[in-house]
Amino acid sequence: MPLPDLSPPLLVLSSLADGPKHGYAMIEEIERLAGVTLGPGTLYGAIARLEQAGLIQPLSPTERRQPYRLTAAGARELSARLDAMRRFAAASLRRLESR
Amino acid sequence: MKPTTVRRLLRLYPRQWRQRYGDEFAALLEGHPGRTKTVLDVIAGAIAARTRAARHPAFLLQAMLRPWGQAARVLARRPAFAISAILILGAGVAATTGVFSIVDAVVLKPLPYPKSDRLVAVLEANSAKEEAASFLAPARIEDWNRLNRTFDAIAGSYDENVTETGGDMPERIAARRVSPRYFDVFGVQPRVGRTFLPGEEVSSGPLAVVISDGLWARRFDRNRDVTSRRLTLAGKSYAIVGVMPPGFAGPALDAWIPAQTAPSLMQIRDARFYAGVGRLKPGVTVAAGQTDLSRVQSELGRRYPKTDKDWSAQVTDFATSRVGQYRQPLLFLLGAVALFLLIAVANTASLTLTQLQRRESELAIRAFLGATRGHVLVGVMQEILILAVIATLLALLADMMLLRILSAALASLPRTAGLSVDWRAFGVASLSAAAATLLCGALPAWRATRRGVAAAVSRAGRGTSHDSRSQRVLVGGQIAVATLLLCTTGLMLRSYYALSHVDPGFDPSHVATFHVGAAWDEDRVAVGLMQEQFLAALGNIPSVTAAGFTNFLPASDATIRYQVRLQNDAGNGAASSTEQLTVGERSVTRGYFKALGARVSAGGDCPELATVRDGPAKALVNRRFVTMYAEGRAVVGRYMTWAQRQSAAPMEIAGIVDDIREDNLRAAAVPYIYVCLGPGDWPDPEYVVRTTGDPRTLLAAIRSSVHGIAPSRAVFALMPLEQNLGASIGETRLQTTVLSAFGFSAVGLAAIGLYGLVSLAVTSRRREMGIRIALGAEPRRVVWELAARVTWLVAGGAVSGLLLTVIAQRQLRALLFGVAPLDPVTLLGAVAVLGVTASVATLVPAWRAARIDPVGAMRQS
């Protein structure tokens, strides 16, 4: 089941959760995780905003591919968001079940 | 996706974005299938990136609100930079504001009279001769008023010193005798009371006086019932009818008294003694006024051919006639100070550049750590603004103190009383300084944040060709302007030296001068008797070797010109056929030349004061008169007649005086005649006394001698002649002092700039030099290479400066004395001073470079 409502920055952060990746790997990972195919423009819009906010960080490039990793702040932000989503999901499921 | 499509798409993104992500983004796109959906996505991303970039001003604003404390802390970590920037910028702003305030007060501000542009100075002019403007005769003032069509009114005045004996001590009053309509011309209302009624302005009318604000404060404590009080002037009681506001006349003037010209004097069309002033009708130009009065005077010439035929009128702008002579020297100083400000700003700019280059890695890291470009820029701007604000505040304080001190030193300039900081000048100087510095800070900060982070960090601290080029331009410009200022300073110093060593034709040491108050309408026989007694009493003071008096001292800028005819042969004063000779005139007594230390080289002195009227009128001439007008032939015993005063008796030439610089010390002697005064002819002359000792010790003896003879008269302006003379070269001294201050500070600033440039080169090439020294290069060689790099810069700056001096020489010429504007010795000297200073500024940091520890240098980078 695809999750098209998730924001591209959150998707990028999630894709980096298990380790550094470059842009193409992020797109593949996001497809796998959320069933959403991010366009390159959308992806790099998110990367730029995340980098500026200090949530991700470029590593030294290999050939022309630029890998990124989560910063500590990025990891905290991701985990806080996921936590909120989890609480949201649990509460919504409970209300559905009590119908 | 094809690389060309990728490139085209990339171009849609903002440049800053492309520089950061372009490469990796292109790599991603090239590996992507080129579907429409992808292309649209990329375009949308570009739009989003652009709108984010456009939001930067908002970031700037946010950043502006950041605590200023951070910027201040950054500055505090660099005290040397902060203090020098503040001092240099402050000095530039203070000097510019100060000089402009003076120039504005003296020559630029309109005179303090309503519609002052309609005021003109009016004189008579002898159309037959050049350089022959003359005072106005009272009869002619009345005629001109009656016959002209372009003036509201014309009036005249002359100054005299009278003694006021209404108080405990006789007090000298500097009075201005005024013709009818005088106050109407200026259009200024009195502060208290009224000006003169028509009845008070005619001969034998009631005696009235209008006093100045200064006298009102000094004698009457600004009491408003002053109009019921009286003044006793020269023994006669005058009713005080009004008080003029401050600023109506210079602070030296105490009172205005109606001239009350006697009807007999109104008939004498040759008696010229009024300085004329007129108010033009609205819309009338000075030239039209001039044409009109010339027409009136030629009409008078037909009616009174004997006295009026050769005369015309001279109408000039009143402000120019009053302060015109100060305009050029003061504007010249203003130019010099503007150059100084330019150097100060360039210097601060290059200091800032150097600072920012040293901080480039810091700035790059700040950008890398998430500070936006706006943040970094605003941070730097905040630091510079703090410096500029402190500098301008200090400058303002300095100006306030300086102008208070200066208004005393500048008392010889008109309109300098109450000199204060000119706010417009302060605003312009501080704003331009701050703006220039901000710009110089913004450019390198902009560049530092633009480059890729990695590039900036790896390059940081190594200097860049671009920054160092702006630095070189700034330093080269400073050297050029400093050379110009230094050349000018050198020329002014030489002028001042020449002027203070000019041979005035007399010996001013051991001489005292003074005045005794006496008015023109006093009993002249009594005044004459008193003058004889004074000279006798002065001669009885033991140390006094000679005493006499004159109407005007030498070098007092009294450049009066008359026309005389010199008779061909010694004779009894019969008509002469020779041409009119233009001469300067002084009136003197026996003993004056001896007291002055001037030499009578042929014939003799004037007769004794008491016996002058016993024989024919006598006069002496100067050496220049003999060489110019008598082809060097003997003139003693020959007669002269006044060309315009047929009624006056011929004068016998009694002797020849060696040339004295009468007009002023700058001007070579022109032909002069010295008319022998009779007792009482000139009621208020300059007494001149020569002593064997210090003239200062004589002052008390003079005062008591005069007091013994005339207890009710004020003795004033009692001072050594050297002090009197010092005032006449005081302006040149002031110009020289101020210019020297600018000139040498400018060289100092240029040296600081040069030092900074070389230091920067050393810092940025530390690693390279360390390697070379480690590999065995001789330290001396490294030093010379560095020095050679700046030698061309200094040489180029100096040559440009010399070229500027050549361009400026036309403005310089009028201010110089005894030295050519392109005097090679002076110019070479200036360049030498600059060269030595530059060498020191270069070699000190270069030597430090040679002592680099190679290992440390390499490890550091």
Side-chain angles (χ1 to χ4, degrees):
Chain A
M1 171 84 190
L3 295 169
D5 298 332
L6 292 178
S7 74
L10 183 67
L11 291 170
V12 171
L13 285 179
S14 306
S15 72
L16 295 177
D18 61 342
K21 282 178 193 63
H22 52 74
Y24 190 72
M26 284 184 227
I27 292 177
E28 287 191 322
E29 181 73 9
I30 289 166
E31 259 172 5
R32 232 162 26 84
L33 264 173
V36 180
T37 312
L38 285 190
T42 312
L43 176 75
Y44 261 88
I47 287 177
R49 255 180 295 169
L50 289 171
E51 194 192 345
Q52 203 153 47
L55 300 180
I56 62 172
Q57 216 176 49
L59 299 173
S60 49
T62 49
E63 293 176 34
R64 293 171 65 206
R65 289 173 166 186
Q66 171 69 62
Y68 289 86
R69 72 173 170 94
L70 284 184
T71 62
R76 269 198 308 277
E77 177 76 21
L78 177 62
S79 118
R81 293 267 173 132
L82 292 178
D83 220 39
M85 285 172 73
R86 186 168 57 199
R87 280 196 304 275
F88 174 75
S92 302
L93 281 172
R94 265 200 309 277
R95 289 164 71 177
L96 199 62
E97 279 159 12
S98 67
R99 198 167 62 162
Chain B
M1 207 182 276
K2 276 183 272 178
T4 47
T5 322
V6 171
R7 269 203 301 280
R8 254 179 235 145
L9 282 174
L10 263 179
R11 241 175 270 145
L12 298 173
Y13 280 78
R15 202 164 64 137
Q16 204 185 337
W17 195 95
R18 254 180 328 198
Q19 276 168 347
R20 169 64 188 82
Y21 299 108
D23 239 20
E24 50 190 279
F25 191 49
L28 182 69
L29 286 181
E30 280 163 25
H32 226 81
R35 278 187 303 229
T36 320
K37 198 178 152 200
T38 314
V39 173
L40 286 177
D41 180 73
V42 171
I43 292 172
I47 293 170
R50 286 212 175 263
T51 40
R52 275 167 58 79
R55 277 210 305 272
H56 263 182
F59 278 111
L60 274 173
L61 203 67
Q62 253 177 4
M64 279 302 280
L65 301 174
R66 266 189 334 145
W68 288 77
Q70 190 184 337
R73 276 195 298 279
V74 172
L75 282 178
R77 282 204 299 272
R78 298 177 169 77
F81 162 69
I83 291 171
S84 27
I86 286 172
L87 287 184
I88 293 167
L89 212 53
V93 172
T96 316
T97 310
V99 170
F100 184 83
S101 301
I102 294 170
V103 175
D104 186 55
V106 177
V107 292
L108 299 183
K109 258 187 208 146
L111 298 173
Y113 310 115
K115 304 263 169 17
S116 64
D117 54 319
R118 281 162 54 197
L119 288 178
V120 287
V122 182
L123 288 172
E124 293 191 30
N126 188 325
S127 49
K129 290 283 168 190
E130 282 172 39
E131 199 193 4
S134 169
F135 290 126
L136 281 160
R140 220 157 273 118
I141 291 193
E142 295 307 315
D143 291 342
W144 287 2
N145 265 301
R146 211 175 54 247
L147 298 171
N148 86 80
R149 295 173 194 153
T150 51
F151 284 80
D152 277 349
I154 299 169
S157 68
Y158 61 93
D159 291 352
E160 67 182 10
N161 293 296
V162 290
T163 312
E164 205 282 326
T165 46
D168 309 331
M169 290 276 289
E171 188 187 356
R172 171 244 183 162
I173 298 282
R176 183 158 289 172
R177 294 281 193 165
V178 300
S179 79
R181 296 174 295 271
Y182 184 78
F183 291 103
D184 300 342
V185 166
F186 286 103
V188 175
Q189 292 304 310
R191 185 169 174 170
V192 176
R194 56 172 176 84
T195 56
F196 303 121
L197 303 173
E200 290 162 344
E201 295 190 308
V202 296
S203 178
S204 71
L207 296 179
V209 59
V210 168
I211 63 171
S212 73
D213 184 76
L215 185 63
W216 187 38
R218 195 165 81 222
R219 281 289 291 274
F220 302 101
D221 211 14
R222 294 190 194 274
N223 200 328
R224 294 190 76 87
D225 75 356
V226 66
T227 46
S228 63
R229 310 278 287 273
R230 303 183 80 81
L231 284 180
T232 308
L233 300 174
K236 285 182 244 169
S237 181
Y238 284 74
I240 299 174
V241 298
V243 179
M244 290 312 282
F248 176 67
L253 200 67
D254 296 316
W256 293 264
I257 309 171
Q260 295 197 341
T261 314
S264 56
L265 193 54
M266 292 298 288
Q267 303 304 316
I268 306 175
R269 302 188 65 84
D270 279 341
R272 299 186 172 86
F273 51 85
Y274 274 131
V277 57
R279 177 172 285 272
L280 292 166
K281 291 199 164 110
V284 176
T285 62
V286 174
Q290 166 81 64
T291 314
D292 185 34
L293 279 194
S294 302
R295 171 193 63 81
V296 168
Q297 184 53 33
S298 62
E299 213 170 282
L300 290 173
R302 284 191 291 279
R303 198 179 310 171
Y304 310 101
K306 207 171 161 196
T307 52
D308 283 44
K309 188 164 64 69
D310 291 337
W311 291 86
S312 180
Q314 189 192 78
V315 180
T316 47
D317 175 60
F318 189 65
T320 308
S321 80
R322 202 184 242 196
V323 296
Q325 70 185 107
Y326 303 105
R327 178 175 277 272
Q328 199 189 12
L330 283 178
L331 290 183
F332 179 76
L333 272 191
L334 193 61
V337 80
L339 290 179
F340 180 68
L341 179 65
L342 198 67
I343 292 196
V345 167
N347 202 276
T348 321
S350 63
L351 271 181
T352 315
L353 268 176
T354 312
Q355 268 308 303
L356 288 173
Q357 274 161 18
R358 292 205 174 128
R359 284 170 59 189
E360 197 167 81
S361 56
E362 177 212 313
L363 295 181
I365 288 167
R366 269 164 76 179
F368 179 73
L369 287 180
T372 62
R373 196 165 168 192
H375 280 121
V376 176
L377 263 178
V378 167
V380 171
M381 302 292 229
Q382 275 176 322
E383 288 161 28
I384 293 169
L385 267 181
I386 290 175
L387 291 181
V389 167
I390 296 176
T392 45
L393 285 181
L394 283 180
L396 188 62
L397 276 178
D399 269 335
M400 284 173 162
M401 292 196 311
L402 207 66
L403 287 178
R404 192 168 309 158
I405 298 165
L406 274 181
S407 61
L410 296 173
S412 67
L413 293 181
R415 306 170 74 195
T416 47
L419 200 59
S420 65
V421 172
D422 185 284
W423 293 100
R424 288 171 302 162
F426 176 69
V428 170
S430 50
L431 283 183
S432 59
T437 324
L438 275 178
L439 198 67
C440 293
L443 287 178
W446 186 258
R447 271 203 304 267
T449 47
R450 190 186 59 198
R451 295 189 192 98
V453 175
V457 173
S458 67
R459 252 184 55 315
R462 284 204 207 138
T464 69
S465 60
H466 195 101
D467 290 348
S468 138
R469 208 184 315 138
S470 16
Q471 187 94 359
R472 287 172 74 87
V473 168
L474 280 173
V475 172
Q478 284 180 58
I479 292 172
V481 178
T483 309
L484 169 63
L485 278 176
L486 203 57
C487 288
T488 314
T489 304
L491 291 168
M492 285 305 287
L493 280 171
R494 300 236 356 218
S495 285
Y496 179 67
Y497 181 84
L499 201 55
S500 53
H501 284 74
V502 79
D503 175 15
F506 59 93
D507 172 17
S509 61
H510 303 295
V511 180
T513 66
F514 66 96
H515 275 259
V516 179
W520 287 83
D521 59 354
E522 284 185 52
D523 176 359
R524 294 295 182 83
V525 177
V527 170
L529 204 63
M530 181 184 75
Q531 288 176 340
E532 287 171 32
Q533 288 173 320
F534 284 159
L535 290 187
L538 291 168
N540 286 337
I541 299 174
S543 65
V544 169
T545 54
F549 57 77
T550 177
N551 54 351
F552 297 106
L553 286 173
S556 54
D557 273 314
T559 52
I560 307 154
R561 295 288 185 272
Y562 290 99
Q563 278 75 44
V564 294
R565 291 193 172 88
L566 176 64
Q567 290 179 338
N568 287 327
D569 304 298
N572 58 2
S576 150
S577 59
T578 48
E579 56 170 331
Q580 294 187 14
L581 311 172
T582 298
V583 295
E585 192 267 358
R586 293 280 186 264
S587 300
V588 302
T589 65
R590 183 179 184 85
Y592 168 69
F593 291 115
K594 193 171 173 207
L596 199 61
R599 210 166 71 92
V600 176
S601 56
D605 201 352
C606 288
E608 287 291 346
L609 189 58
T611 63
V612 165
R613 299 227 173 84
D614 296 352
K618 289 221 161 68
L620 286 82
V621 297
N622 68 352
R623 183 61 58 193
R624 184 90 186 122
F625 180 98
V626 178
T627 50
M628 256 183 88
Y629 293 151
E631 289 91 30
R633 277 182 283 124
V635 293
V636 176
R638 284 163 72 178
Y639 278 76
M640 290 183 296
T641 53
W642 298 103
Q644 280 87 27
R645 276 192 263 165
Q646 270 81 5
S647 53
M651 297 165 286
E652 183 188 347
I653 297 177
I656 299 169
V657 186
D658 284 356
D659 290 340
I660 296 173
R661 300 227 166 188
E662 289 285 359
D663 289 349
N664 60 60
L665 288 179
R666 290 166 167 266
V670 296
Y672 252 86
I673 66 170
Y674 297 89
V675 177
C676 296
L677 278 171
D681 284 352
W682 194 277
D684 180 16
E686 304 262 5
Y687 289 87
V688 178
V689 184
R690 174 165 293 273
T691 167
T692 50
D694 183 347
R696 268 165 247 274
T697 61
L698 194 64
L699 303 184
I702 291 174
R703 208 176 275 279
S704 76
S705 298
V706 172
H707 196 68
I709 295 161
S712 66
R713 289 190 190 267
V715 179
F716 59 92
L718 181 56
M719 64 176 102
L721 178 59
E722 278 176 326
Q723 190 177 330
N724 228 319
L725 214 54
S728 78
I729 59 173
E731 260 164 58
T732 308
R733 180 166 51 211
L734 188 71
Q735 280 169 27
T736 311
T737 314
V738 176
L739 259 181
S740 307
F742 294 157
F744 289 111
S745 315
V747 176
L749 289 183
I752 292 175
L754 205 55
Y755 182 95
L757 184 72
V758 177
S759 300
L760 189 69
V762 170
T763 316
S764 56
R765 293 167 46 145
R766 236 176 117 80
R767 180 191 159 103
E768 176 207 322
M769 289 191 296
I771 293 173
R772 284 179 52 198
I773 292 172
L775 292 178
E778 260 196 81
R780 197 187 309 165
R781 207 180 144 74
V782 175
V783 172
W784 283 124
E785 263 176 42
L786 267 175
R789 278 165 62 91
V790 289
T791 303
W792 284 111
L793 185 66
V794 174
V799 168
S800 319
L802 285 176
L803 283 177
L804 287 176
T805 312
V806 172
I807 293 168
Q809 64 144 326
R810 245 154 36 102
Q811 268 65 45
L812 270 172
R813 194 179 291 273
L815 298 169
L816 297 182
F817 175 82
V819 59
L822 293 178
D823 177 60
V825 176
T826 312
L827 300 193
L828 282 178
V831 172
V833 169
L834 186 90
V836 169
T837 318
S839 309
V840 173
T842 307
L843 288 177
V844 168
W847 270 120
R848 277 220 310 254
R851 290 205 303 271
I852 286 174
D853 164 26
V855 180
M858 287 187 302
R859 189 181 297 141
Q860 186 201 34
S861 48

